[in-house]
Amino acid sequence: MVGFRAGDVPPTATVKFIGAGTAACIADLFTFPLDTAKVRLQIQGEIKSPVNTSHGPVKYRGVFGTISTMVRVEGPRSLYSGLVAGLQRQMSFASVRIGLYDSVKQFYTKGSDHVGIGSRLMAGCTTGAMAVALAQPTDVVKVRFQAQISAGASKRYHGTMDAYRTIAKEEGFRGLWKGTGPNITRNAIVNCTELVTYDLIKDALLKSLLMNDDLPCHFTSAFGAGFCTTVIASPVDVVKTRYMNSAPGQYSSALNCAVAMLAKEGPKAFYKGFMPSFLRLGSWNVVMFVTYEQLKRALMAARHNWVTPL
């Protein structure tokens, strides 16, 4: 009997779903400090509000300057503020966004072997919007924690569940879905750029025989996808972060937030936190996609061993 190789059989939807969520959580554990630094840089410079009054005297300069300032002022644990909500977000968000991508892509191609760019884009937009609709409350809580100065006694939230309760009590149930519009826009862009670019780079490398379907190919594809995504999605990401972290009534809409940013801080404000965003997304993509590819193979091998009699 010929030995089984996990790559011989396409992974099932369940394997992709579980693998994507698990891989995304692992990637978040490695890259969360960069994400927190990105949020702090993105909200720096906006009008002070009850949510972030303590940000006034703190100035952040660059990704590593931001990280060192946070460690000095708030302690090393501040870099992982909001991690619980972040992992909740990834387990629900990435499972849908990435785990269902191939299945939705096949739905749009109606079983055809040819997969055009249109089908890839449609699949990316669909799974991105589905993921936001499901995971938005976890994203709101994550951003609020990352923006909150940990030093002193003025902390607004004292735990993940406390944050969910406080937001629902003070802002209503809709407060947990604040920023859904810009987040859907952002994730449609991120999903399309990230997954489609990863898909296209990987396909190009394999078809040109430059690389095999292994670790170097996955690394190259993921890093390229991270750079393209950061360049395209940064403006929407900054607006999303500002709007989700804003006090009730500070902005009438996400568009109002964008206009206020442009008027007060100029066009460069839309690329605040670009370097930590790229470092985070590039490294997150590498860890996530490489782990995801390996997990798919391991889970398929385990599934084969379980269903195949001895």
Side-chain angles (χ1 to χ4, degrees), residues 50 53-54 73-74 148-158 162:
T53 45
S54 54
V73 175
E74 305 169 58
Q148 176 177 259
I149 292 286
S150 301
S154 60
K155 292 202 301 184
R156 191 179 186 191
Y157 309 116
H158 299 278
D162 175 62

Side-chain angles (χ1 to χ4, degrees), residues 249-272:
Q250 185 176 350
Y251 303 114
S252 60
S253 65
L255 181 60
N256 175 249
C257 177
V259 172
M261 280 175 55
L262 183 62
K264 184 175 184 289
E265 302 168 62
K268 286 185 178 180
F270 292 96
Y271 279 90
K272 278 193 170 183

Side-chain angles (χ1 to χ4, degrees), residues 112-131:
S112 171
D113 291 334
H114 174 70
V115 182
I117 186 69
S119 299
R120 298 176 199 261
L121 290 172
M122 288 284 286
C125 287
T126 302
T127 57
M130 290 167 59

